[in-house]
Amino acid sequence: MQAESAFQGTPAMAEPFARDLRDRPATIKDVAKLANVSISTVSRVVNQTGGVSDELTLRIEGAISALRYRSNGVARALRVNATRLLGFIVPSVANPTFGALAQSVEQTANERGYSTILCNSGGSVDNEVRYLRLLIKQQADGILFNSMGIYDQRLANLTNSGIPVVVVGRKIPGLPTTNVTTNNRQGAFDAVSYLINKGHRRIAFVFGVYESATALEDRYDGYKDALRQYRVPFDERLVVKVPNVLDSAEEAARRLIDSGVAFDGVFASNDLIALSVIKNLERMGFRVPNDVCVMGYDMIPFSQMRYPALSTVDSHLDQLGREATIQLIGLAEGMADNHSETVVKSEIVLGGTA
Amino acid sequence: MQAESAFQGTPAMAEPFARDLRDRPATIKDVAKLANVSISTVSRVVNQTGGVSDELTLRIEGAISALRYRSNGVARALRVNATRLLGFIVPSVANPTFGALAQSVEQTANERGYSTILCNSGGSVDNEVRYLRLLIKQQADGILFNSMGIYDQRLANLTNSGIPVVVVGRKIPGLPTTNVTTNNRQGAFDAVSYLINKGHRRIAFVFGVYESATALEDRYDGYKDALRQYRVPFDERLVVKVPNVLDSAEEAARRLIDSGVAFDGVFASNDLIALSVIKNLERMGFRVPNDVCVMGYDMIPFSQMRYPALSTVDSHLDQLGREATIQLIGLAEGMADNHSETVVKSEIVLGGTA
DNA sequence: TTGAAAGCGCTAACAC
DNA sequence: GTGTTAGCGCTTTCAA
């Protein structure tokens, strides 16, 4: 820290000293030699451990900036057995849900002196396994895992291999890890209840394949809960699965419409799907919300960048990411319980589509 | 690799051996001891350097899986002086433009055995500097830099400090780095030319503050080029700056409309702004494209998730990310020129908004 | 307050 | 084919 500001302070006079060591970066040894002290003293100054006389401190800081010395994080990591690196495994950063999550994770980690290695699993368990292995090998201090929620024996082995793991946004059935989730079932219940209370009775549930098993199931359960609560008959023809929306937004609503089943409301398992449904409804001449009401889930920033804004359920992605990261760092630093469960509340937000 | 599959093959019989070493992970030494060989032989098996007899190989693989050994990447990195970690600095992953870019970077890096540390600068030079320092300290093998394009002496110092750096999507004036950009000026020219050829004469240019200086300037230049080419008078009242759209999508079009200046087309500096403009136009009762045509830039996946889909300029973000990553790895492995320039072509894509 | 020295886990000469 | 050993750059006892 001091070292760095000292360096900035003397960019001009730094050059002459800089490279009598041929083009490799300066090490602590070089600094020690130039300052005429031992490497341990340099280390004390660099890490601000204290107990170094003002005179030496000054001399060492001078040498540090002259040599443009930066302590080697890898060597340090090896020695102290901590990298201050966190792994974050998500299905896809291109998906704004995870983008928002990643943003909050990264920021929270940073405030605490950690960096984030981002890993796109593409939604495949094999890749999840591959990344877990990689992160363990790279000695990440902890792993934040936004898994697809599919159980696999290898996942169990890896998440139990000693490295702190927090599963975020969803649970993996059978994996006893610390997890931070959003209150999916309640949120879905609220959304569908709202639609019912507005007088809708034929409410479709549209969901994507590219989603975590458990989060999806919870939202589906919430949907059914609401129907039951208000004695609206369940019709399985209103439950529609669509392919990955980011790849092909085409089929979402069409299937529903083509099927000829009457419906006056749609509850989508996430915002992207909701948007895709709206797109297709509008393309086919329906008006939203006049002809059909649509609600999404997650409240990605985008879903508000249209007119009318999407009615949705805010799952507080920022809070989710933040909480999960805090938990993970707690585990990594040995001051948190393992296997805890945190639930972030979600709440409906009315835009203009329902 | 072999080690890992061997391990998977014997999860059941692994346990008994596993923890006579108290709860620390097994090291190469432990494996050597159990297999009754030297650590160098273990290393040779782990790294598949060859030259080890079948018998020993087998014995070592057995020990590896029994101990659930995983080579320590940090120790290896220290020794071979390479982390196989790439840093990727972006203004914000929550922004889908960078999400798309990050996705392609991550994938390309992965195919080549590298992982990516994602860093959100939040668009501030101070954070960019902070991250550059961090990545250098962490011994990243290279840095992919999606900078805001603002020059700063510290950036110059850091990017010249020996670590390979590729600037992607934009240039930083005054920083002679390798860079991979998209053909912004031409793309903007094409977009605006298209609008002009459709008969529009009052075309606004709307841009955001949250954008890279150079990319923006190039797009602005392209806009002016087209006006000049077709002898459409330039009216600076049609050039409108809006605040960060992700934070507040409110003001984009309103300013333009409130100003009372007539316009029949909008060229936005990126898709997000285009969407925000459309939202506000529609909210105020204008119809797109009937009353006003709108074109965006970048072709983020989202801009196609509406009806009608946004007309925009595809800047081939995936290709951009891919190309930049390849260049960076080339630099990192010492087989690419420094200071090269690559330009990815962009081309207009007609949705239904223009 | 300072320095010497051991050692984190690994690779790569080099010797056998 | 296999083993011995030095050392990557750092932190951290321990002694002085």
Side-chain angles (χ1 to χ4, degrees), chain B residues 287-299:
Chain B
R287 288 164 310 157
V288 176
N290 304 347
D291 301 326
V292 180
C293 275
V294 177
M295 286 196 77
Y297 208 115
D298 280 341
M299 178 120 173

Side-chain angles (χ1 to χ4, degrees), chain A residues 105-247:
Chain A
V105 166
E106 199 263 359
Q107 189 188 322
T108 309
N110 246 270
E111 287 165 1
R112 289 159 177 72
Y114 288 82
S115 303
T116 310
I117 299 183
L118 189 70
C119 308
N120 279 292
S121 70
S124 102
V125 178
D126 283 349
N127 279 332
E128 291 181 342
V129 169
R130 195 167 61 75
Y131 272 123
L132 283 169
R133 290 212 179 106
L134 177 74
L135 290 169
I136 291 173
K137 194 180 224 153
Q138 294 278 21
Q139 310 288 112
D141 288 348
I143 298 175
L144 220 54
F145 191 14
N146 195 274
S147 103
M148 291 301 290
I150 299 160
Y151 179 80
D152 185 288
Q153 182 59 41
R154 294 167 298 170
L155 294 184
N157 289 338
L158 290 164
T159 53
N160 284 327
S161 67
I163 189 168
V165 175
V166 169
V167 174
V168 57
R170 40 194 84 178
K171 295 175 204 164
I172 307 177
L175 271 202
T177 54
T178 294
N179 53 247
V180 179
T181 54
T182 194
N183 196 350
N184 290 306
R185 189 164 181 168
Q186 182 68 43
F189 175 84
D190 292 344
V192 178
S193 296
Y194 171 80
L195 292 175
I196 294 172
N197 285 326
K198 273 193 74 175
H200 300 280
R201 285 297 174 275
R202 304 288 302 163
I203 301 166
F205 178 66
V206 182
F207 66 98
V209 292
Y210 199 57
E211 283 177 270
S212 146
T214 48
L216 181 59
E217 273 164 25
D218 287 350
R219 291 175 190 181
Y220 186 37
D221 285 344
Y223 164 80
K224 287 185 291 189
D225 288 348
L227 297 184
R228 203 175 304 118
Q229 166 97 10
Y230 293 96
R231 306 189 190 290
V232 174
F234 172 79
D235 180 346
E236 67 177 15
R237 292 173 305 170
L238 288 172
V239 177
V240 182
K241 174 167 149 180
V242 298
N244 177 0
V245 274
L246 264 189
D247 292 344

Side-chain angles (χ1 to χ4, degrees), chain B residues 154-177:
Chain B
R154 293 167 299 169
L155 294 183
N157 288 339
L158 289 163
T159 54
N160 286 325
S161 68
I163 190 168
V165 175
V166 170
V167 174
V168 57
R170 39 195 84 177
K171 294 175 205 166
I172 307 176
L175 270 202
T177 54

Side-chain angles (χ1 to χ4, degrees), chain A residues 88 90 93 96-108 116 118 317 321 325, chain B residues 93-94 118 120:
Chain A
F88 185 31
V90 293
V93 255
T97 309
F98 306 125
L101 211 48
Q103 172 105 323
S104 121
V105 166
E106 199 263 359
Q107 189 188 322
T108 309
T116 310
L118 189 70
L317 295 170
T325 308
Chain B
V93 256
L118 190 70
N120 278 291

Side-chain angles (χ1 to χ4, degrees), chain A residues 12-339:
Chain A
M13 57 175 296
E15 278 313 341
F17 291 79
R19 302 288 97 141
D20 49 53
L21 0 126
R22 55 299 219 356
D23 222 11
R24 76 179 158 72
T27 71
I28 196 170
K29 228 180 196 163
D30 300 320
V31 176
K33 190 181 292 172
L34 182 56
N36 224 324
V37 295
S38 75
I39 59 168
S40 26
T41 307
V42 176
S43 174
R44 288 187 191 105
V45 170
V46 170
N47 296 303
Q48 319 208 51
T49 326
V52 180
S53 68
D54 287 358
E55 193 207 329
L56 287 198
T57 303
L58 228 57
R59 224 159 71 205
I60 290 169
E61 285 173 355
I64 284 172
S65 64
L67 296 172
R68 293 163 171 268
Y69 169 74
R70 269 161 220 294
S71 84
N72 182 325
V74 170
R76 178 170 218 286
L78 177 61
R79 181 59 233 235
V80 305
N81 199 27
T83 52
R84 299 200 83 81
L85 246 30
L86 262 28
F88 185 31
I89 304 179
V90 293
S92 158
V93 255
N95 184 319
T97 309
F98 306 125
L101 211 48
Q103 172 105 323
S104 121
V105 166
E106 199 263 359
Q107 189 188 322
T108 309
N110 246 270
E111 287 165 1
R112 289 159 177 72
Y114 288 82
S115 303
T116 310
I117 299 183
L118 189 70
C119 308
N120 279 292
S121 70
S124 102
V125 178
D126 283 349
N127 279 332
E128 291 181 342
V129 169
R130 195 167 61 75
Y131 272 123
L132 283 169
R133 290 212 179 106
L134 177 74
L135 290 169
I136 291 173
K137 194 180 224 153
Q138 294 278 21
Q139 310 288 112
D141 288 348
I143 298 175
L144 220 54
F145 191 14
N146 195 274
S147 103
M148 291 301 290
I150 299 160
Y151 179 80
D152 185 288
Q153 182 59 41
R154 294 167 298 170
L155 294 184
N157 289 338
L158 290 164
T159 53
N160 284 327
S161 67
I163 189 168
V165 175
V166 169
V167 174
V168 57
R170 40 194 84 178
K171 295 175 204 164
I172 307 177
L175 271 202
T177 54
T178 294
N179 53 247
V180 179
T181 54
T182 194
N183 196 350
N184 290 306
R185 189 164 181 168
Q186 182 68 43
F189 175 84
D190 292 344
V192 178
S193 296
Y194 171 80
L195 292 175
I196 294 172
N197 285 326
K198 273 193 74 175
H200 300 280
R201 285 297 174 275
R202 304 288 302 163
I203 301 166
F205 178 66
V206 182
F207 66 98
V209 292
Y210 199 57
E211 283 177 270
S212 146
T214 48
L216 181 59
E217 273 164 25
D218 287 350
R219 291 175 190 181
Y220 186 37
D221 285 344
Y223 164 80
K224 287 185 291 189
D225 288 348
L227 297 184
R228 203 175 304 118
Q229 166 97 10
Y230 293 96
R231 306 189 190 290
V232 174
F234 172 79
D235 180 346
E236 67 177 15
R237 292 173 305 170
L238 288 172
V239 177
V240 182
K241 174 167 149 180
V242 298
N244 177 0
V245 274
L246 264 189
D247 292 344
S248 70
E250 307 312 316
E251 300 186 40
R254 248 211 351 245
R255 295 199 182 185
L256 197 58
I257 296 164
D258 289 352
S259 73
V261 182
F263 66 100
D264 56 5
V266 173
F267 172 56
S269 65
N270 66 47
D271 280 2
L272 240 37
I273 291 181
L275 292 173
S276 159
V277 165
I278 292 174
K279 169 182 176 170
N280 284 282
L281 286 171
E282 289 182 345
R283 175 199 279 165
M284 296 174 121
F286 292 82
R287 288 163 311 156
V288 176
N290 304 347
D291 302 326
V292 181
C293 275
V294 178
M295 286 197 76
Y297 208 115
D298 281 341
M299 178 117 171
I300 57 176
F302 265 116
S303 63
Q304 308 305 303
M305 287 200 52
R306 62 185 313 283
Y307 182 76
L310 184 68
S311 296
T312 185
V313 181
D314 190 346
S315 53
H316 299 295
L317 295 170
D318 52 341
Q319 206 180 321
L320 205 62
R322 178 170 201 81
E323 188 58 44
T325 308
I326 291 173
Q327 293 271 352
L328 182 62
I329 292 176
L331 284 176
E333 298 180 350
M335 49 230 253
D337 283 354
N338 217 331
H339 306 343

